[in-house]
Amino acid sequence: MKPIETIMRTAPVIPVIVVDQVEHAVPLAEALVAGGLSVLEVTLRTPAALDAMAAMQHVPGAIVGAGTVTNSDELDAAIGAGAEFIVSPGLTEPLGKAAIEREIPFLPGIANAGDIMRGLDLGLTHFKFFPAMAAGGLPALKALAAPFGQCKFCPTGGIGLENAPEWLAFEPVLCVGGSWVSPRGPVDSPSVIATAREAAKLGS
């Protein structure tokens, strides 16, 4: 297993993926990887998610994880489907402890100082700032990050091509999460590859 920081530094954007039909999973993963985005977060928001994640494991170069993991049962189901990392919208002590026990790279959601302190108590230092824009945007994250210099972040929620560069310019931000690079439905591979390439250049 790669450490969560290594995963976060792999590409500037982590696609937040919602798969409604399993047959869309592999073409989408192939297009994203071809475009330079190899870390793929498959959200557990649809019945197809676990099967989609398992299918994406076979795409060369893809690092496939599970998002929207909210409890230990979902955590275990995601690990069973081959998840290489776990992302959650928030942080509870039971979920944090379960992820640490399973020794899986874990990126829990935080939106305030109390969330970060709960994470630090568990030994966690890497967080998803969510929902990024609704929680106050970049000014809020800058204010939050100031007392927690050891922490690194992946803002997600309301981030797109236009505002991603300003987030990525803030040193504690290692990457951003976004759904704009991975549209739902049948996969238009050339379009996804082009969008992914544009996103992959944001970190340079």
Side-chain angles (χ1 to χ4, degrees):
M1 290 277 181
K2 297 180 190 327
I4 193 65
E5 177 153 344
T6 303
I7 292 170
M8 292 169 74
R9 288 186 183 278
T10 301
V13 178
I14 296 178
V16 178
I17 298 167
V18 181
V19 179
D20 295 292
Q21 293 176 262
V22 175
E23 55 266 31
H24 298 157
V26 169
L28 180 59
E30 288 174 340
L32 289 166
V33 172
L37 302 181
S38 54
V39 178
L40 311 177
E41 177 192 334
V42 181
T43 62
L44 301 189
R45 298 181 195 175
T46 67
L50 292 172
D51 289 338
M53 211 169 11
M56 287 177 170
Q57 305 288 332
H58 302 293
V59 174
I63 301 166
V64 185
T68 324
V69 174
T70 61
N71 57 55
S72 57
D73 288 344
E74 291 175 352
L75 174 77
D76 288 336
I79 292 171
E84 295 177 70
F85 63 95
I86 299 293
V87 183
S88 65
L91 175 59
T92 65
E93 194 171 318
L95 179 59
K97 285 183 172 175
I100 291 163
E101 281 169 13
R102 311 302 191 266
E103 298 184 336
I104 186 142
F106 180 47
L107 191 64
I110 59 91
N112 56 53
D115 291 343
I116 295 174
M117 290 163 67
R118 190 179 311 119
L120 290 171
D121 284 345
L122 291 167
L124 303 167
T125 54
H126 293 67
F127 303 102
K128 164 181 169 172
F129 178 51
F130 177 81
M133 294 304 291
L138 187 54
L141 181 59
K142 285 184 173 178
L144 268 179
F148 302 110
Q150 70 273 54
C151 296
K152 304 294 182 190
F153 301 94
C154 172
T156 306
I159 294 176
L161 188 62
E162 305 74 28
N163 61 354
E166 55 186 317
W167 288 94
L168 290 164
F170 182 43
E171 193 177 342
V173 171
L174 300 186
C175 59
V176 299
S179 55
W180 88 91
V181 290
S182 51
R184 288 174 86 157
V187 181
D188 177 352
S189 294
S191 172
V192 173
I193 290 170
T195 304
R197 279 191 181 137
E198 206 173 15
K201 287 180 191 159
L202 291 172
S204 55

